[in-house]
């Protein structure tokens, strides 16, 4: 019976694969013919169009011909883009046409229907689906893992079905390697095989192995604030990327990549995840770090250490700013390059014209309109003074305004962007200090000018436990129309002064925003031995909830070395041992001094160092600081400085150790040069 099923599924796969090959050939032929036709049309344009601007009439005829040809070219580009996109989908499906099959019955009187699920949808004739997209509504019954009577949603409508079969496949192009029928995905061989594969320098999509608790997050309805609270290795980042892909699919006619912002930890992590969405046929959204965000909004200085008073200071800025009496030093001179257009005292005189408004956005925006008029008059007068009166020509007001805009755009642009406001000085006056943080500066600028991004619809913040309350207040104000998805693990907060999940809930409550928290408590990353090791650092109630689905693996190595010679020998031996296996070996260091000492003592044998702007190596061993390792996972991990200085016996020390240990999937070695941290049992 099983062989018969195997043979039938292989026949179906072969048939599907051959159809995809035919589609590929047909699409390539269409694209080639279209390109040839476009080339001919362009040559025709070049040979026949006359660029004649002799008089107004012939100029209009020339421009009309150019417009017609431009429309032809635009039509070709649109058609070529559409064909290219479809060809890209076909090529991806040729790698593995689908990964699952469901059999459903909508009514007892109707026959059972088969649906094959893949990374993307493809139809043979425009309506008969050969493969359905994993994000389509009916695919939800596959991820729900409920055989028998179940349902799925299409918009707000619940569709009841009887799930007769839930089958998973292991395919390689047109070859069926294996299949199995299952109800509970955690027990399935596909997941375990996927988890046992060695890791590369790039994150892989989890589409074929999405689990029920992960699927709940991915398909959760839109809410203003969604917090995903997951333990280490629960797939938070993978789930985040799958949710972005799901949102793009659900809102494909209304949501663009530039309307989604993903805040990521560092450039190393961004490079690690940058192929997941393209592999799913979607474009990456705006993906930036906190420092890059500050540069994007033109904050004039870099972020420094965390300031525990920042959140209270933002509240003070909001409350005190309207009571502030403007003074000349609150503004900058307005200049056109090196030429003074208006002094800051003149700016203040304009501000005082609107003293009925308190200091803030309405005052500054109203005053900027008046400043623009005055600046244009000033610039016009300066320009006339330099003109030769015998060559001056009268111009219409419209033409004159356009000329002023073109010739003196710098000064006018500064006025429109409210650059005449001395944000730093105003913040210093309010807070009574010379030292202003990036959050305080930007918040003050937004309060004064109304600067924000109303286009952004979703802001996703990964590892949210590493952000401060002030940073989240800045995001909330800068992206006023966005829905927020926050992912993190409170026990991976490795810096003092960052936000707690209770504070996140309180912020949502203060804003009267709907708030949902979803848990992810299963570790898919680490072996049971490693999971037990880092779970032991959790509070008792959390510890009992943690589980690993991996098969038993290697025991964790723990060694406290007595001297330098023993330590560096043990470290070198472990590096060699792990490098014999496939995959990546990360030597995670808590202290910068540890890295320096390893380089000196191992010399030419020392692994490469991955710094803040590097990509991960394709294979082998490398050294990385703990903050850069956050969010990443590696087959083999060596904690190189697991002593009490690196991981002290306090809450933060436990968080750091938990974070470092949980990067490992297969092997973990914990070393110290001297006494081990008391957190290690």
């Amino acid at each position: 019976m099983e062989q018969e099923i195997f043979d039938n599924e292989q026949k179906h796969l072969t048939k599907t694969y051959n159809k995809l090959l035919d589609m590929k050939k047909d699409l390539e032929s269409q694209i080639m013919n279209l390109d040839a036709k476009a080339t001919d049309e362009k040559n025709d344009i070049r040979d026949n169009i006359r660029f004649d601007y002799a008089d107004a009439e012939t100029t209009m005829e020339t421009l009309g011909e150019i417009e017609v040809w431009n429309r032809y070219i635009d039509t070709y580009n649109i058609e070529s883009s559409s064909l290219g996109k479809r060809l890209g989908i076909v090529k991806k499906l040729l790698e593995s046409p689908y990964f699952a099959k469901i059999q459903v019955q909508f009514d007892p009187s109707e026959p059972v229907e088969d649906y094959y699920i893949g990374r993307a949808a493809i139809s043979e004739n425009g309506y008969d689906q050969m493969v359905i997209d994993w994000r389509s509504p009916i695919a939800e019954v596959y991820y729900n893992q409920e055989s028998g009577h179940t349902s799925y949603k299409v918009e707000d409508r619940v569709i009841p079905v009887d799930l007769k079969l839930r089958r998973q496949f292991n395919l390689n192009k047109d070859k069926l390697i294996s299949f199995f029928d299952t109800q509970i995905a955690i027990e399935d061989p596909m997941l375990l095989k996927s988890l046992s594969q060695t890791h590369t320098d790039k994150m892989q999509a989890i589409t074929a192995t999405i689990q029920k608790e992960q699927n709940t997050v991915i398909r959760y309805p839109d809410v203003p604030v969604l917090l995903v609270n997951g333990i280490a290795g629960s797939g938070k980042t993978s789930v985040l990327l799958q949710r972005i892909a799901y949102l793009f699919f659900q809102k494909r006619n209304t949501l663009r990549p530039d309307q989604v912002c993903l805040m990521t930890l560092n450039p190393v992590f961004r490079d690690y995840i940058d192929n997941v969405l393209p592999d799913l046929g979607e474009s990456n959204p705006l993906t930036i770090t906190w420092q890059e965000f500050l540069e994007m909004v033109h904050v004039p200085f870099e972020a420094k250490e965390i300031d525990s008073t920042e959140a209270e200071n933002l509240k003070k800025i909001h409350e005190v700013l309207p009571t502030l009496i403007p003074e000349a030093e609150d503004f900058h001179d307005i200049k056109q390059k090196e030429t003074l257009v208006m002094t800051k005292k003149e700016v203040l005189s304009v501000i005082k014209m609107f003293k009925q408004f308190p200091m803030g956005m309405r005052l500054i925006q109203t005053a900027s309109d008046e400043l623009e008029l005055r600046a244009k008059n000033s610039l016009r007068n300066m320009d006339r003074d330099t003109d030769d009166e015998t060559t001056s020509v009268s111009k219409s007001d419209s033409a004159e305004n356009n000329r002023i805009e073109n010739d003196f755009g710098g000064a006018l642009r500064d006025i429109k962007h409210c650059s005449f406001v001395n944000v730093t000085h105003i913040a210093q006056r309010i807070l009574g200090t010379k030292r202003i943080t990036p959050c305080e500066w930007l918040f003050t600028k937004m309060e004064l000018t109304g600067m924000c991004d109303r286009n952004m619809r979703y802001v996703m913040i990964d590892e949210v436990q590493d952000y401060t309350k002030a940073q989240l207040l800045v995001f909330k104000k800068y992206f006023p129309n966005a829905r927020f998805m926050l992912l993190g693990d409170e026990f991976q907060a490795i810096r003092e002064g960052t936000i707690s999940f209770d504070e996140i809930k309180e912020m949502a409550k203060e804003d009267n925003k709907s708030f949902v928290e979803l848990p992810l408590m299963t570790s898919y990353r680490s072996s049971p031995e490693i999971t037990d090791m880092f779970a032991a650092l959790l509070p008792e109630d959390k510890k009992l909830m943690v589980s690993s689905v991996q098969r038993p693996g290697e025991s964790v190595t723990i060694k406290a070395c007595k001297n330098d010679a023993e330590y560096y020998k043990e470290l070198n031996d472990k590096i060699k041992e792990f490098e014999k296996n496939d995959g990546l070996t990360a030597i995670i260091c808590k202290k910068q001094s540890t890295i320096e000492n390893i380089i000196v003592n191992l010399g030419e044998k020392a692994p490469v160092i991955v710094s803040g702007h590097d990509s991960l190596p394709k294979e082998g061993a490398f050294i990385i600081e703990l903050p850069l390792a956050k969010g990443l996972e590696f087959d083999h991990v060596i904690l190189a400085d697991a002593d009490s200085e690196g991981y002290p016996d306090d809450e933060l020390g436990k968080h750091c150790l938990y974070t470092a240990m949980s990067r490992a999937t297969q092997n973990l070695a914990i070393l110290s040069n001297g006494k081990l941290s008391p957190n290690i049992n």
Side-chain angles (χ1 to χ4, degrees), residues 402-601:
N402 288 338
R403 186 184 67 78
I404 291 292
E405 291 275 1
N406 290 333
D407 292 350
F408 303 104
L412 299 177
R413 188 164 50 250
D414 283 350
I415 294 171
K416 287 175 182 174
H417 292 168
C418 302
S419 298
F420 60 88
V421 180
N422 188 342
V423 177
T424 303
H425 184 262
I426 293 171
Q428 288 171 337
R429 285 182 65 197
I430 294 171
L431 299 177
T433 178
K434 290 289 184 184
R435 181 182 174 276
I436 301 299
T437 69
C439 278
E440 292 161 356
W441 188 94
L442 181 54
F443 194 86
T444 306
K445 174 98 183 237
M446 291 190 287
E447 287 277 315
L448 283 163
T449 67
M451 180 181 77
C452 64
D453 183 348
R454 298 186 184 279
N455 173 63
M456 199 63 66
R457 291 174 57 190
Y458 292 94
V459 175
M460 317 296 203
I461 304 179
D462 201 10
E463 304 288 351
V464 69
Q465 76 279 349
D466 285 339
Y467 290 79
T468 65
K469 184 177 181 180
Q471 287 174 313
L472 264 63
L473 287 169
V474 164
F475 288 141
K476 184 182 74 170
K477 192 169 186 66
Y478 188 77
F479 301 112
N481 297 332
R483 292 176 179 269
F484 284 81
M485 182 179 181
L486 315 173
L487 299 95
D489 177 358
E490 281 190 287
F491 303 101
Q492 290 189 62
I494 63 172
R495 296 187 301 165
E496 293 281 7
T498 53
I499 195 164
S500 70
F501 286 10
D502 284 339
E503 287 178 304
I504 292 173
K505 294 173 195 173
E506 193 60 36
M507 280 177 62
K509 186 178 177 182
E510 288 170 1
D511 295 333
N512 292 316
K513 288 190 174 180
S514 175
F515 172 87
V516 175
E517 180 177 353
L518 298 176
L520 291 173
M521 295 306 297
T522 304
S523 174
Y524 303 100
R525 174 189 297 156
S526 305
S527 68
E529 292 83 0
I530 296 170
T531 302
D532 289 345
M533 195 76 193
F534 68 72
L537 296 163
L538 297 174
E540 205 62 39
D541 58 332
K542 283 276 185 183
K543 190 189 309 181
L544 296 172
M545 297 169 66
V546 174
S547 63
S548 170
V549 302
Q550 291 268 25
R551 295 187 179 98
E554 300 294 327
S555 299
V556 176
T557 300
I558 304 174
K559 185 162 185 179
C561 300
K562 297 175 183 176
N563 51 52
D564 285 359
E566 183 183 359
Y567 171 76
Y568 289 109
K569 181 181 183 305
E570 185 68 25
L571 177 61
N572 194 42
D573 288 347
K574 274 296 167 191
I575 293 171
K576 286 181 180 177
E577 178 188 332
F578 288 168
E579 281 192 311
K580 288 177 183 176
N581 303 315
D582 293 331
L584 292 171
T585 298
I587 297 98
I588 297 177
C589 299
K590 179 68 167 57
K591 299 171 289 186
Q592 179 62 36
S593 59
T594 304
I595 296 177
E596 295 167 0
N597 290 334
I598 290 173
I599 297 302
V600 169
N601 285 277

Side-chain angles (χ1 to χ4, degrees), residues 57 116 121 181 202 231 241 315 353 414 482-483 539 629:
E57 185 176 348
Y116 287 83
D181 300 337
K202 297 289 185 182
I231 65 158
L241 295 170
K315 183 180 178 182
M353 289 173 57
D414 283 350
R483 292 176 179 269

Side-chain angles (χ1 to χ4, degrees), residues 15-81:
K15 183 179 177 182
T16 303
Y17 194 84
N18 288 337
K19 285 181 180 178
L20 288 169
L21 283 176
D22 290 341
M23 286 183 186
K24 177 175 175 287
K25 290 174 186 175
D26 182 53
L27 287 165
E28 287 173 340
S29 176
Q30 288 184 58
I31 291 170
M32 188 171 64
N33 292 337
L34 186 68
D35 288 346
K37 188 177 179 183
T39 301
D40 290 342
E41 294 283 7
K42 288 175 184 176
N43 290 337
D44 192 33
I45 294 170
R46 185 192 61 204
D47 295 340
N48 294 301
I49 198 167
R50 292 183 307 112
F51 296 99
D52 191 345
Y53 304 100
D55 52 44
E57 185 176 348
T58 55
T59 296
M60 291 302 293
E61 288 177 2
T62 299
L63 294 176
E65 284 187 59
I66 292 171
E67 178 62 23
V68 169
W69 289 116
N70 281 340
R71 288 182 183 177
Y72 277 135
I73 291 168
D74 287 344
T75 302
Y76 287 132
N77 288 339
I78 291 168
E79 191 175 350
S80 178
S81 175

Side-chain angles (χ1 to χ4, degrees), residues 316-383:
K316 185 176 181 181
I317 290 165
H318 176 72
E319 292 172 349
V320 174
L321 181 64
T323 69
L324 213 62
I325 305 300
E327 59 181 42
E329 291 304 314
D330 291 338
F331 307 100
H332 295 298
D333 294 336
I334 297 172
K335 294 182 177 181
Q336 172 61 35
K337 295 183 179 176
E338 298 304 316
T339 303
L340 182 65
V341 178
M342 294 179 72
T343 67
K344 53 191 169 189
K345 289 185 178 179
E346 290 173 315
V347 173
L348 177 62
S349 69
V350 172
I351 295 290
K352 287 182 175 179
M353 289 173 57
F354 306 100
K355 59 184 178 183
Q356 70 269 32
F357 301 131
M359 191 70 152
M361 179 177 67
R362 191 173 181 187
L363 171 62
I364 297 302
Q365 290 187 344
T366 304
S368 68
D369 292 337
E370 178 65 23
L371 287 169
E372 186 176 352
L373 289 173
R374 294 194 179 200
K376 282 182 178 179
N377 288 332
S378 178
L379 291 166
R380 192 178 287 116
N381 292 333
M382 280 191 286
D383 200 33

